[in-house]
Amino acid sequence: MRIWADVYASDGTTRLGDGPIYSIKSASFTKALDGPGTFTLTLPGADTRALTLLACKRRIKVYTDDNSDLFRLLGDGTIETIAGKVSSTGLEITVSGADTLSLLRQTNTLMNRKYSAASVSTIATSLTALAGWTVSASGGNTTTIRYDGETVLKALQMLCEEQGLHFRLTSTPMQVEIGAFGANSGYRATNVERIHDDLYDNEAITLIETLNLVTDSKDICNWILPLGAGEGVAALTLQYSTRTTPYTIQVATGPDGRNYYYLTDGTSAGLYGTIQKVVPFKDISPASNTQADYIAAANQLYDAAAAYLARWKDKLDTYSMTLRNVRPIDPGEKIHVRFKGVVYRDGSPYTYRDINQDMWVMNVQEYVSEGGISQTLQVATVDRYALDAAEAVVRSMEAADSRARRLNPTPSVSQFTKLSDISSSFPVTVTIPITDATLDLTRVSITFITSNREGSGTTPDTISCIVDGIDRTGPLGGYWAIGGGTVTVDLDPALMTGYFKNAVGGLQQDHTVQFLCSSGSGRIEVLVELATVVQGVALV
């Protein structure tokens, strides 16, 4: 079994040296789903020519054959680490790095790259073109999304994760494929007690040499309250989402008296009990200060929440299998696993594991040495990875860094007062402007106080209230000051907030609140407090 490599400059096209490196002792390439794969090469330290050619950030293409005239590309990538190990047998060099998908980390979206009501294919085509790549994309909903300082790789990861899709490298250079994936690879991985000669001739069957199993249920959740960008009352929720499938948006009242909006999977809850989780999606925020983009962001939050729930509602069984008699399989395909583990207890057989189902291939490692080729697959019952503590920390840091760069909904409170004369022939109108800078209205509080005019003994009599041209006196508890007198009235904040948010013409306009009295005269003082959500940029 021969292994050799061509070394290129960082541009990936200028080949270096006067020929391939032939001294490679072993090579392994791992292809991963939703991110770059890795590679590792081992070489003898005595090959000084190889040590000169192999340098960090240079590109490498590794080939192998089966000691025949046929050869194939094992993989290619960028050298990131070179290490040496000295032992009694001499110096051994280990060269490692990431596959070509990692090159998408080198191009940035820069700031305020916005896509409005665009398909996944349109967004992905634009993003990959920034790096000079192409994409084959399918699936997903139209979405409105904005990127601020993400790498192209991170932007693709965000897009696919929020849409419940996956991506991977294709055999075409500098191309990625995006989709739901899950196609059957046509392979059946199995363990058998007796190996017959005809089994080796069956290309659809591959033999399991070793199998390691991890069953993980600690992260199951089947009831999620998703929150987008913003803190506290300013956080983006599902309130304005227009999505209805695959989960119905549920509404309940929280401890603070405000409504919250959540999704739940009844089947999982019936199996494991209800397991609740508040899930932050802080990368999801309105792309601009318009109600259309606010609704689009709520729909984007729904898509991400539904994809999250679909992947985390079930326990995760992960298997690491070493196979032989198999061609390379792509991550994102499915393979049928038939494994029966039997031990003997007191002389009788006991089946400790009986597996017979299709599973997702999450990553594929192909290892080549002088002894031949072996392939190790990480397969799972659900198309997600089990995150370790280190990966969780990295994701948290990336999310914090992303939030620092993008627009974030922020709570804001403003107050003003109007003092005016009022009489039956002189109504008082208070104009309350809500501009395009406002994403949402959390609460509007209006209090009015009547009194007599200085030097006069009369007071306003039988006061009514008109909101945006509609008489709201009755629902708000009026008429007030019937027969005259001084009053202090707090208009119901929930009703007033609803009147503004549901007004003809929408929330973002100049609203009017008019006070009239049927007789008498005097003074009226109107106190207004607006609690709103506005779009702000975090400082970095």
Side-chain angles (χ1 to χ4, degrees):
M1 184 68 64
R2 295 184 302 169
I3 312 167
W4 66 95
D6 289 326
V7 181
Y8 295 80
S10 59
D11 61 10
T13 58
T14 304
R15 192 165 71 170
L16 305 177
D18 54 1
I21 297 173
Y22 287 106
S23 61
I24 299 172
K25 297 164 60 178
S26 67
S28 69
F29 270 84
T30 300
K31 296 184 293 183
L33 189 63
D34 301 330
T38 60
F39 69 87
T40 301
L41 311 176
T42 59
L43 306 94
D47 188 347
T48 56
R49 175 177 172 274
L51 295 182
T52 301
L53 285 175
L54 298 171
C56 288
K57 294 305 179 185
R58 286 183 175 174
R59 301 273 293 281
I60 190 168
K61 293 184 178 182
V62 182
Y63 300 87
T64 186
D65 64 12
D66 58 356
N67 294 320
S68 69
D69 293 333
L70 300 176
F71 68 91
R72 64 182 175 88
L73 177 68
L74 182 63
D76 60 342
T78 301
I79 299 172
E80 295 179 340
T81 304
I82 302 173
K85 178 182 178 181
V86 179
S87 66
S88 59
T89 59
L91 175 64
E92 183 179 82
I93 302 299
T94 300
V95 177
S96 59
D99 67 22
T100 55
L101 195 58
S102 64
L103 296 175
L104 294 180
R105 292 193 184 113
Q106 298 178 190
T107 303
N108 201 281
T109 63
L110 304 180
M111 307 301 289
N112 193 21
R113 186 172 297 278
K114 176 185 172 184
Y115 302 93
S116 297
S119 67
V120 169
S121 178
T122 297
I123 297 171
T125 298
S126 173
L127 290 173
T128 53
L130 296 174
W133 283 48
T134 61
V135 66
S136 171
S138 62
N141 297 309
T142 58
T143 187
T144 295
I145 193 168
R146 170 177 172 154
Y147 298 107
D148 290 277
E150 278 79 32
T151 67
V152 169
L153 179 62
K154 179 61 178 176
L156 289 176
Q157 289 173 328
M158 291 166 58
L159 177 65
C160 290
E161 185 174 3
E162 292 167 6
Q163 292 286 329
L165 302 174
H166 297 287
F167 71 98
R168 64 191 175 198
L169 276 173
T170 72
S171 58
T172 301
M174 300 178 66
Q175 184 186 67
V176 294
E177 179 184 7
I178 291 177
F181 296 167
N184 194 315
S185 67
Y187 272 109
R188 293 174 61 88
T190 184
N191 68 324
V192 295
E193 293 183 0
R194 294 191 179 96
I195 299 178
H196 303 283
D197 290 340
D198 58 349
L199 190 60
Y200 288 105
D201 297 328
N202 190 336
E203 295 183 354
I205 296 178
T206 179
L207 302 180
I208 300 173
E209 291 190 327
T210 64
L211 183 143
N212 296 317
L213 162 69
V214 175
T215 296
D216 185 356
S217 64
K218 67 179 182 298
D219 293 322
I220 290 176
C221 68
N222 45 46
W223 184 109
I224 66 170
L225 171 60
L227 297 175
E231 304 299 330
V233 297
L236 179 69
T237 72
L238 298 179
Q239 180 179 2
Y240 297 105
S241 173
T242 58
R243 299 278 198 257
T244 58
T245 59
Y247 298 102
T248 301
I249 298 174
Q250 308 289 331
V251 185
T253 303
D256 60 356
R258 295 188 303 117
N259 287 341
Y260 62 88
Y261 302 84
Y262 66 97
L263 303 178
T264 186
D265 188 283
T267 301
S268 174
L271 184 61
Y272 303 110
T274 299
I275 303 173
Q276 296 180 320
K277 188 174 183 180
V278 176
V279 183
F281 297 93
K282 295 303 183 181
D283 287 330
I284 300 178
S285 65
S288 70
N289 290 347
T290 65
Q291 281 199 304
D293 277 352
Y294 200 53
I295 293 172
N299 285 334
Q300 185 186 353
L301 179 63
Y302 177 94
D303 293 339
Y308 183 98
L309 186 57
R311 285 178 177 160
W312 294 88
K313 63 183 177 64
D314 297 311
K315 69 179 178 67
L316 175 65
D317 289 340
T318 303
Y319 300 86
S320 176
M321 303 187 303
T322 300
L323 308 177
R324 54 192 171 96
N325 189 31
V326 61
R327 65 156 173 81
I329 298 174
D330 288 326
E333 292 184 328
K334 285 185 177 180
I335 185 171
H336 189 86
V337 180
R338 182 68 181 99
F339 179 89
K340 193 168 186 178
V342 179
V343 295
Y344 282 85
R345 178 185 297 172
D346 299 327
S348 299
Y350 169 73
T351 301
Y352 64 89
R353 177 66 62 172
D354 193 351
I355 308 167
N356 187 13
Q357 68 181 107
D358 290 336
M359 294 191 181
W360 286 86
V361 178
M362 301 304 293
N363 66 53
V364 181
Q365 182 190 59
E366 194 171 9
Y367 177 80
V368 182
S369 67
E370 294 177 351
I373 299 176
S374 66
Q375 195 167 158
T376 299
L377 270 60
Q378 298 289 337
V379 301
T381 52
V382 183
D383 58 330
R384 63 178 171 88
Y385 290 98
L387 296 181
D388 60 24
E391 289 171 316
V393 170
V394 170
R395 285 198 173 198
S396 178
M397 293 175 64
E398 287 179 343
D401 185 53
S402 177
R403 290 198 300 273
R405 294 190 300 266
R406 66 176 54 245
L407 293 170
N408 286 288
T410 306
S412 176
V413 177
S414 59
Q415 299 173 324
F416 65 91
T417 301
K418 180 170 183 175
L419 180 64
S420 175
D421 292 336
I422 185 172
S423 68
S424 57
S425 58
F426 190 79
V428 173
T429 299
V430 180
T431 300
I432 303 174
I434 298 182
T435 68
D436 289 347
T438 302
L439 288 171
D440 195 14
L441 177 65
T442 306
R443 178 185 174 92
V444 55
S445 301
I446 298 178
T447 298
F448 70 87
I449 304 170
T450 63
S451 61
N452 64 330
R453 187 184 297 107
E454 187 176 350
S456 168
T458 63
T459 55
D461 191 332
T462 313
I463 298 172
S464 57
C465 180
I466 311 296
V467 181
D468 287 330
I470 301 175
D471 192 336
R472 304 292 190 181
T473 304
L476 289 170
Y479 297 96
W480 302 277
I482 298 175
T486 59
V487 293
T488 298
V489 177
D490 296 318
L491 300 180
D492 187 314
L495 289 176
M496 289 300 300
T497 303
Y499 295 152
F500 278 33
K501 293 174 74 167
N502 299 313
V504 175
L507 172 65
Q508 296 168 329
Q509 60 175 309
D510 287 347
H511 296 269
T512 59
V513 179
Q514 188 177 55
F515 296 94
L516 303 89
C517 63
S518 61
S519 61
S521 63
R523 304 277 282 175
I524 186 169
E525 183 178 11
V526 183
L527 297 84
V528 179
E529 180 179 278
L530 291 178
T532 59
V533 175
V534 298
Q535 191 87 295
V537 179
L539 298 177
V540 293

